[in-house]
């Protein structure tokens, strides 16, 4: 298992950042991903599909669950793929400059055998670290995205 954490202070209220990064909209133009969400809050499930979805999600599309949900403070999701599980935890707090401090932790857990996990270890750690930085870098674009 590989895990990385990053912190970024962004302009915007906690409520605005929450709406931009924690609430799954039907389509996210920043990420070019469509979501089909069932339920609300903790225990909700979702399907994530690359691109804009026209119709029901295809069989085998990645499925996820919201595993933690404290509005305007914390959301954690678990996304199950065929060979791996990705967990993303986003914590929001007031930043000293009046903006919002975003702390993001991404964990990648391959389902491969121990030998393969060991061989992939460094590459997986680098991928997880780059994923955290990339997702934090997207926050301003998420804040600028118009609502669907």
């Amino acid at each position: 298992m590989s895990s990385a954490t990053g912190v970024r202070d962004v302009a915007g209220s906690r409520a605005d950042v929450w709406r931009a990064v924690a609430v799954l909209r039907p389509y996210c133009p920043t990420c070019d991903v469509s979501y089909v969400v069932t339920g609300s809050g903790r225990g909700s499930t979702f399907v994530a599909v690359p691109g804009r979805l026209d119709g029901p999600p295809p069989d085998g599309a990645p499925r996820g669950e919201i595993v933690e949900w404290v509005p305007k403070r914390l959301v954690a999701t678990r996304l199950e793929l065929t060979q791996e599980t990705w967990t993303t935890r986003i914590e929001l707090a007031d930043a000293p400059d009046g903006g919002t401090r975003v702390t993001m932790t991404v964990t990648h857990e391959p389902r491969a055998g121990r030998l393969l996990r060991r061989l992939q270890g460094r590459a997986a750690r680098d991928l997880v670290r780059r994923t955290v930085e990339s997702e934090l870098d997207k926050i301003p674009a998420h804040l600028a995205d118009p609502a669907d």
Side-chain angles (χ1 to χ4, degrees), residues 45-72:
T45 59
F46 62 90
V47 177
V49 180
R52 192 174 281 276
L53 185 63
D54 296 320
D59 290 339
R63 298 195 175 275
E65 179 182 4
I66 296 175
V67 295
E68 292 183 76
W69 181 268
V70 179
K72 299 179 190 162

PDB file of all heavy atoms in Angstrom, residues 45-72:
ATOM      1  N   THR A  45     -23.099   5.625  -2.906  1.00  0.00           N
ATOM      2  CA  THR A  45     -22.255   4.936  -3.879  1.00  0.00           C
ATOM      3  C   THR A  45     -22.234   5.753  -5.161  1.00  0.00           C
ATOM      4  O   THR A  45     -23.111   6.571  -5.418  1.00  0.00           O
ATOM      5  CB  THR A  45     -22.771   3.518  -4.163  1.00  0.00           C
ATOM      6  OG1 THR A  45     -24.102   3.592  -4.654  1.00  0.00           O
ATOM      7  CG2 THR A  45     -22.719   2.656  -2.900  1.00  0.00           C
ATOM      8  N   PHE A  46     -21.204   5.529  -5.954  1.00  0.00           N
ATOM      9  CA  PHE A  46     -21.102   6.243  -7.224  1.00  0.00           C
ATOM     10  C   PHE A  46     -20.376   5.381  -8.242  1.00  0.00           C
ATOM     11  O   PHE A  46     -19.656   4.448  -7.903  1.00  0.00           O
ATOM     12  CB  PHE A  46     -20.402   7.597  -7.053  1.00  0.00           C
ATOM     13  CG  PHE A  46     -18.991   7.521  -6.561  1.00  0.00           C
ATOM     14  CD1 PHE A  46     -17.922   7.433  -7.444  1.00  0.00           C
ATOM     15  CD2 PHE A  46     -18.721   7.548  -5.196  1.00  0.00           C
ATOM     16  CE1 PHE A  46     -16.619   7.377  -6.980  1.00  0.00           C
ATOM     17  CE2 PHE A  46     -17.419   7.495  -4.721  1.00  0.00           C
ATOM     18  CZ  PHE A  46     -16.364   7.401  -5.613  1.00  0.00           C
ATOM     19  N   VAL A  47     -20.627   5.714  -9.496  1.00  0.00           N
ATOM     20  CA  VAL A  47     -19.920   5.121 -10.619  1.00  0.00           C
ATOM     21  C   VAL A  47     -19.204   6.275 -11.307  1.00  0.00           C
ATOM     22  O   VAL A  47     -19.799   7.343 -11.514  1.00  0.00           O
ATOM     23  CB  VAL A  47     -20.895   4.416 -11.591  1.00  0.00           C
ATOM     24  CG1 VAL A  47     -20.160   3.871 -12.803  1.00  0.00           C
ATOM     25  CG2 VAL A  47     -21.644   3.305 -10.878  1.00  0.00           C
ATOM     26  N   ALA A  48     -17.945   6.099 -11.648  1.00  0.00           N
ATOM     27  CA  ALA A  48     -17.155   7.129 -12.316  1.00  0.00           C
ATOM     28  C   ALA A  48     -16.822   6.661 -13.729  1.00  0.00           C
ATOM     29  O   ALA A  48     -16.334   5.542 -13.920  1.00  0.00           O
ATOM     30  CB  ALA A  48     -15.867   7.386 -11.535  1.00  0.00           C
ATOM     31  N   VAL A  49     -17.106   7.538 -14.714  1.00  0.00           N
ATOM     32  CA  VAL A  49     -16.893   7.188 -16.113  1.00  0.00           C
ATOM     33  C   VAL A  49     -16.125   8.319 -16.788  1.00  0.00           C
ATOM     34  O   VAL A  49     -16.546   9.484 -16.688  1.00  0.00           O
ATOM     35  CB  VAL A  49     -18.250   6.978 -16.827  1.00  0.00           C
ATOM     36  CG1 VAL A  49     -18.038   6.610 -18.289  1.00  0.00           C
ATOM     37  CG2 VAL A  49     -19.072   5.909 -16.128  1.00  0.00           C
ATOM     38  N   PRO A  50     -15.020   8.012 -17.455  1.00  0.00           N
ATOM     39  CA  PRO A  50     -14.297   9.067 -18.179  1.00  0.00           C
ATOM     40  C   PRO A  50     -15.195   9.713 -19.229  1.00  0.00           C
ATOM     41  O   PRO A  50     -15.998   9.041 -19.880  1.00  0.00           O
ATOM     42  CB  PRO A  50     -13.149   8.324 -18.859  1.00  0.00           C
ATOM     43  CG  PRO A  50     -13.006   7.043 -18.102  1.00  0.00           C
ATOM     44  CD  PRO A  50     -14.375   6.707 -17.598  1.00  0.00           C
ATOM     45  N   GLY A  51     -15.068  11.025 -19.368  1.00  0.00           N
ATOM     46  CA  GLY A  51     -15.831  11.751 -20.374  1.00  0.00           C
ATOM     47  C   GLY A  51     -17.240  12.073 -19.920  1.00  0.00           C
ATOM     48  O   GLY A  51     -17.625  11.819 -18.780  1.00  0.00           O
ATOM     49  N   ARG A  52     -17.992  12.637 -20.854  1.00  0.00           N
ATOM     50  CA  ARG A  52     -19.384  12.997 -20.583  1.00  0.00           C
ATOM     51  C   ARG A  52     -20.243  11.784 -20.871  1.00  0.00           C
ATOM     52  O   ARG A  52     -20.158  11.194 -21.934  1.00  0.00           O
ATOM     53  CB  ARG A  52     -19.801  14.183 -21.437  1.00  0.00           C
ATOM     54  CG  ARG A  52     -21.117  14.782 -20.987  1.00  0.00           C
ATOM     55  CD  ARG A  52     -21.447  16.047 -21.763  1.00  0.00           C
ATOM     56  NE  ARG A  52     -20.726  17.223 -21.310  1.00  0.00           N
ATOM     57  CZ  ARG A  52     -21.117  17.994 -20.289  1.00  0.00           C
ATOM     58  NH1 ARG A  52     -22.190  17.684 -19.606  1.00  0.00           N
ATOM     59  NH2 ARG A  52     -20.424  19.052 -19.962  1.00  0.00           N
ATOM     60  N   LEU A  53     -21.064  11.404 -19.916  1.00  0.00           N
ATOM     61  CA  LEU A  53     -21.880  10.199 -20.006  1.00  0.00           C
ATOM     62  C   LEU A  53     -23.231  10.516 -20.646  1.00  0.00           C
ATOM     63  O   LEU A  53     -23.928  11.418 -20.207  1.00  0.00           O
ATOM     64  CB  LEU A  53     -22.080   9.613 -18.603  1.00  0.00           C
ATOM     65  CG  LEU A  53     -22.799   8.288 -18.485  1.00  0.00           C
ATOM     66  CD1 LEU A  53     -22.004   7.190 -19.191  1.00  0.00           C
ATOM     67  CD2 LEU A  53     -22.982   7.927 -17.017  1.00  0.00           C
ATOM     68  N   ASP A  54     -23.572   9.771 -21.683  1.00  0.00           N
ATOM     69  CA  ASP A  54     -24.879   9.885 -22.321  1.00  0.00           C
ATOM     70  C   ASP A  54     -25.587   8.552 -22.136  1.00  0.00           C
ATOM     71  O   ASP A  54     -25.383   7.625 -22.905  1.00  0.00           O
ATOM     72  CB  ASP A  54     -24.736  10.207 -23.812  1.00  0.00           C
ATOM     73  CG  ASP A  54     -24.097  11.558 -24.053  1.00  0.00           C
ATOM     74  OD1 ASP A  54     -24.431  12.497 -23.313  1.00  0.00           O
ATOM     75  OD2 ASP A  54     -23.264  11.672 -24.974  1.00  0.00           O
ATOM     76  N   GLY A  55     -26.380   8.450 -21.079  1.00  0.00           N
ATOM     77  CA  GLY A  55     -27.070   7.201 -20.787  1.00  0.00           C
ATOM     78  C   GLY A  55     -26.512   6.549 -19.547  1.00  0.00           C
ATOM     79  O   GLY A  55     -25.733   7.151 -18.805  1.00  0.00           O
ATOM     80  N   PRO A  56     -26.886   5.300 -19.324  1.00  0.00           N
ATOM     81  CA  PRO A  56     -26.426   4.613 -18.109  1.00  0.00           C
ATOM     82  C   PRO A  56     -24.930   4.285 -18.189  1.00  0.00           C
ATOM     83  O   PRO A  56     -24.384   4.167 -19.283  1.00  0.00           O
ATOM     84  CB  PRO A  56     -27.275   3.331 -18.079  1.00  0.00           C
ATOM     85  CG  PRO A  56     -27.687   3.112 -19.494  1.00  0.00           C
ATOM     86  CD  PRO A  56     -27.780   4.473 -20.129  1.00  0.00           C
ATOM     87  N   PRO A  57     -24.289   4.146 -17.026  1.00  0.00           N
ATOM     88  CA  PRO A  57     -22.861   3.818 -17.045  1.00  0.00           C
ATOM     89  C   PRO A  57     -22.649   2.421 -17.616  1.00  0.00           C
ATOM     90  O   PRO A  57     -23.489   1.534 -17.444  1.00  0.00           O
ATOM     91  CB  PRO A  57     -22.447   3.875 -15.573  1.00  0.00           C
ATOM     92  CG  PRO A  57     -23.708   3.778 -14.805  1.00  0.00           C
ATOM     93  CD  PRO A  57     -24.811   4.279 -15.677  1.00  0.00           C
ATOM     94  N   PRO A  58     -21.540   2.219 -18.298  1.00  0.00           N
ATOM     95  CA  PRO A  58     -21.272   0.899 -18.879  1.00  0.00           C
ATOM     96  C   PRO A  58     -20.978  -0.135 -17.794  1.00  0.00           C
ATOM     97  O   PRO A  58     -20.532   0.215 -16.691  1.00  0.00           O
ATOM     98  CB  PRO A  58     -20.038   1.135 -19.753  1.00  0.00           C
ATOM     99  CG  PRO A  58     -19.387   2.348 -19.179  1.00  0.00           C
ATOM    100  CD  PRO A  58     -20.488   3.173 -18.583  1.00  0.00           C
ATOM    101  N   ASP A  59     -21.246  -1.394 -18.101  1.00  0.00           N
ATOM    102  CA  ASP A  59     -20.886  -2.469 -17.178  1.00  0.00           C
ATOM    103  C   ASP A  59     -19.383  -2.418 -16.929  1.00  0.00           C
ATOM    104  O   ASP A  59     -18.610  -2.135 -17.838  1.00  0.00           O
ATOM    105  CB  ASP A  59     -21.257  -3.832 -17.774  1.00  0.00           C
ATOM    106  CG  ASP A  59     -22.759  -4.045 -17.833  1.00  0.00           C
ATOM    107  OD1 ASP A  59     -23.480  -3.362 -17.071  1.00  0.00           O
ATOM    108  OD2 ASP A  59     -23.205  -4.886 -18.634  1.00  0.00           O
ATOM    109  N   GLY A  60     -19.003  -2.675 -15.710  1.00  0.00           N
ATOM    110  CA  GLY A  60     -17.587  -2.699 -15.364  1.00  0.00           C
ATOM    111  C   GLY A  60     -16.988  -1.342 -15.066  1.00  0.00           C
ATOM    112  O   GLY A  60     -15.787  -1.238 -14.810  1.00  0.00           O
ATOM    113  N   ALA A  61     -17.802  -0.279 -15.101  1.00  0.00           N
ATOM    114  CA  ALA A  61     -17.279   1.055 -14.779  1.00  0.00           C
ATOM    115  C   ALA A  61     -16.834   1.068 -13.319  1.00  0.00           C
ATOM    116  O   ALA A  61     -17.417   0.383 -12.480  1.00  0.00           O
ATOM    117  CB  ALA A  61     -18.351   2.111 -15.015  1.00  0.00           C
ATOM    118  N   PRO A  62     -15.772   1.822 -13.008  1.00  0.00           N
ATOM    119  CA  PRO A  62     -15.302   1.890 -11.620  1.00  0.00           C
ATOM    120  C   PRO A  62     -16.403   2.324 -10.663  1.00  0.00           C
ATOM    121  O   PRO A  62     -17.158   3.251 -10.943  1.00  0.00           O
ATOM    122  CB  PRO A  62     -14.179   2.929 -11.675  1.00  0.00           C
ATOM    123  CG  PRO A  62     -13.720   2.911 -13.092  1.00  0.00           C
ATOM    124  CD  PRO A  62     -14.953   2.630 -13.904  1.00  0.00           C
ATOM    125  N   ARG A  63     -16.483   1.645  -9.541  1.00  0.00           N
ATOM    126  CA  ARG A  63     -17.508   1.924  -8.525  1.00  0.00           C
ATOM    127  C   ARG A  63     -16.826   2.401  -7.251  1.00  0.00           C
ATOM    128  O   ARG A  63     -15.759   1.932  -6.897  1.00  0.00           O
ATOM    129  CB  ARG A  63     -18.323   0.680  -8.242  1.00  0.00           C
ATOM    130  CG  ARG A  63     -19.058   0.207  -9.479  1.00  0.00           C
ATOM    131  CD  ARG A  63     -20.152  -0.792  -9.175  1.00  0.00           C
ATOM    132  NE  ARG A  63     -20.878  -1.109 -10.389  1.00  0.00           N
ATOM    133  CZ  ARG A  63     -21.891  -0.401 -10.871  1.00  0.00           C
ATOM    134  NH1 ARG A  63     -22.295   0.664 -10.233  1.00  0.00           N
ATOM    135  NH2 ARG A  63     -22.489  -0.749 -11.988  1.00  0.00           N
ATOM    136  N   GLY A  64     -17.507   3.320  -6.586  1.00  0.00           N
ATOM    137  CA  GLY A  64     -16.950   3.862  -5.365  1.00  0.00           C
ATOM    138  C   GLY A  64     -18.005   4.066  -4.306  1.00  0.00           C
ATOM    139  O   GLY A  64     -19.202   3.876  -4.541  1.00  0.00           O
ATOM    140  N   GLU A  65     -17.515   4.446  -3.143  1.00  0.00           N
ATOM    141  CA  GLU A  65     -18.396   4.710  -2.008  1.00  0.00           C
ATOM    142  C   GLU A  65     -17.841   5.878  -1.214  1.00  0.00           C
ATOM    143  O   GLU A  65     -16.622   6.038  -1.087  1.00  0.00           O
ATOM    144  CB  GLU A  65     -18.473   3.480  -1.108  1.00  0.00           C
ATOM    145  CG  GLU A  65     -19.341   3.673   0.117  1.00  0.00           C
ATOM    146  CD  GLU A  65     -19.362   2.457   1.028  1.00  0.00           C
ATOM    147  OE1 GLU A  65     -18.652   1.488   0.766  1.00  0.00           O
ATOM    148  OE2 GLU A  65     -20.114   2.512   2.018  1.00  0.00           O
ATOM    149  N   ILE A  66     -18.738   6.693  -0.681  1.00  0.00           N
ATOM    150  CA  ILE A  66     -18.322   7.749   0.243  1.00  0.00           C
ATOM    151  C   ILE A  66     -18.253   7.099   1.617  1.00  0.00           C
ATOM    152  O   ILE A  66     -19.267   6.644   2.147  1.00  0.00           O
ATOM    153  CB  ILE A  66     -19.292   8.937   0.207  1.00  0.00           C
ATOM    154  CG1 ILE A  66     -19.256   9.577  -1.181  1.00  0.00           C
ATOM    155  CG2 ILE A  66     -18.924   9.953   1.297  1.00  0.00           C
ATOM    156  CD1 ILE A  66     -20.259  10.687  -1.395  1.00  0.00           C
ATOM    157  N   VAL A  67     -17.055   7.023   2.173  1.00  0.00           N
ATOM    158  CA  VAL A  67     -16.855   6.299   3.432  1.00  0.00           C
ATOM    159  C   VAL A  67     -16.800   7.204   4.660  1.00  0.00           C
ATOM    160  O   VAL A  67     -16.960   6.731   5.782  1.00  0.00           O
ATOM    161  CB  VAL A  67     -15.600   5.389   3.360  1.00  0.00           C
ATOM    162  CG1 VAL A  67     -15.800   4.288   2.332  1.00  0.00           C
ATOM    163  CG2 VAL A  67     -14.352   6.186   3.042  1.00  0.00           C
ATOM    164  N   GLU A  68     -16.569   8.506   4.435  1.00  0.00           N
ATOM    165  CA  GLU A  68     -16.628   9.489   5.520  1.00  0.00           C
ATOM    166  C   GLU A  68     -17.245  10.752   4.955  1.00  0.00           C
ATOM    167  O   GLU A  68     -16.968  11.125   3.808  1.00  0.00           O
ATOM    168  CB  GLU A  68     -15.243   9.807   6.076  1.00  0.00           C
ATOM    169  CG  GLU A  68     -14.584   8.654   6.817  1.00  0.00           C
ATOM    170  CD  GLU A  68     -13.251   9.070   7.392  1.00  0.00           C
ATOM    171  OE1 GLU A  68     -13.257   9.784   8.426  1.00  0.00           O
ATOM    172  OE2 GLU A  68     -12.217   8.702   6.808  1.00  0.00           O
ATOM    173  N   TRP A  69     -18.066  11.431   5.783  1.00  0.00           N
ATOM    174  CA  TRP A  69     -18.757  12.627   5.294  1.00  0.00           C
ATOM    175  C   TRP A  69     -19.097  13.521   6.474  1.00  0.00           C
ATOM    176  O   TRP A  69     -19.959  13.192   7.275  1.00  0.00           O
ATOM    177  CB  TRP A  69     -20.027  12.198   4.568  1.00  0.00           C
ATOM    178  CG  TRP A  69     -20.844  13.303   3.976  1.00  0.00           C
ATOM    179  CD1 TRP A  69     -21.887  13.951   4.596  1.00  0.00           C
ATOM    180  CD2 TRP A  69     -20.757  13.867   2.688  1.00  0.00           C
ATOM    181  NE1 TRP A  69     -22.430  14.886   3.746  1.00  0.00           N
ATOM    182  CE2 TRP A  69     -21.756  14.850   2.557  1.00  0.00           C
ATOM    183  CE3 TRP A  69     -19.894  13.643   1.607  1.00  0.00           C
ATOM    184  CZ2 TRP A  69     -21.934  15.600   1.409  1.00  0.00           C
ATOM    185  CZ3 TRP A  69     -20.083  14.394   0.454  1.00  0.00           C
ATOM    186  CH2 TRP A  69     -21.089  15.351   0.361  1.00  0.00           C
ATOM    187  N   VAL A  70     -18.406  14.624   6.595  1.00  0.00           N
ATOM    188  CA  VAL A  70     -18.723  15.653   7.581  1.00  0.00           C
ATOM    189  C   VAL A  70     -18.786  16.949   6.780  1.00  0.00           C
ATOM    190  O   VAL A  70     -17.734  17.493   6.399  1.00  0.00           O
ATOM    191  CB  VAL A  70     -17.655  15.746   8.699  1.00  0.00           C
ATOM    192  CG1 VAL A  70     -18.022  16.837   9.689  1.00  0.00           C
ATOM    193  CG2 VAL A  70     -17.473  14.404   9.390  1.00  0.00           C
ATOM    194  N   PRO A  71     -19.991  17.436   6.436  1.00  0.00           N
ATOM    195  CA  PRO A  71     -20.125  18.581   5.546  1.00  0.00           C
ATOM    196  C   PRO A  71     -19.199  19.750   5.899  1.00  0.00           C
ATOM    197  O   PRO A  71     -19.055  20.128   7.052  1.00  0.00           O
ATOM    198  CB  PRO A  71     -21.606  18.964   5.690  1.00  0.00           C
ATOM    199  CG  PRO A  71     -22.271  17.654   5.996  1.00  0.00           C
ATOM    200  CD  PRO A  71     -21.291  16.941   6.894  1.00  0.00           C
ATOM    201  N   LYS A  72     -18.583  20.267   4.864  1.00  0.00           N
ATOM    202  CA  LYS A  72     -17.665  21.408   4.904  1.00  0.00           C
ATOM    203  C   LYS A  72     -16.392  21.138   5.692  1.00  0.00           C
ATOM    204  O   LYS A  72     -15.622  22.057   5.961  1.00  0.00           O
ATOM    205  CB  LYS A  72     -18.371  22.665   5.427  1.00  0.00           C
ATOM    206  CG  LYS A  72     -19.522  23.093   4.566  1.00  0.00           C
ATOM    207  CD  LYS A  72     -20.184  24.314   5.143  1.00  0.00           C
ATOM    208  CE  LYS A  72     -21.479  24.577   4.390  1.00  0.00           C
ATOM    209  NZ  LYS A  72     -22.380  25.439   5.115  1.00  0.00           N
TER     210      LYS A  72
END
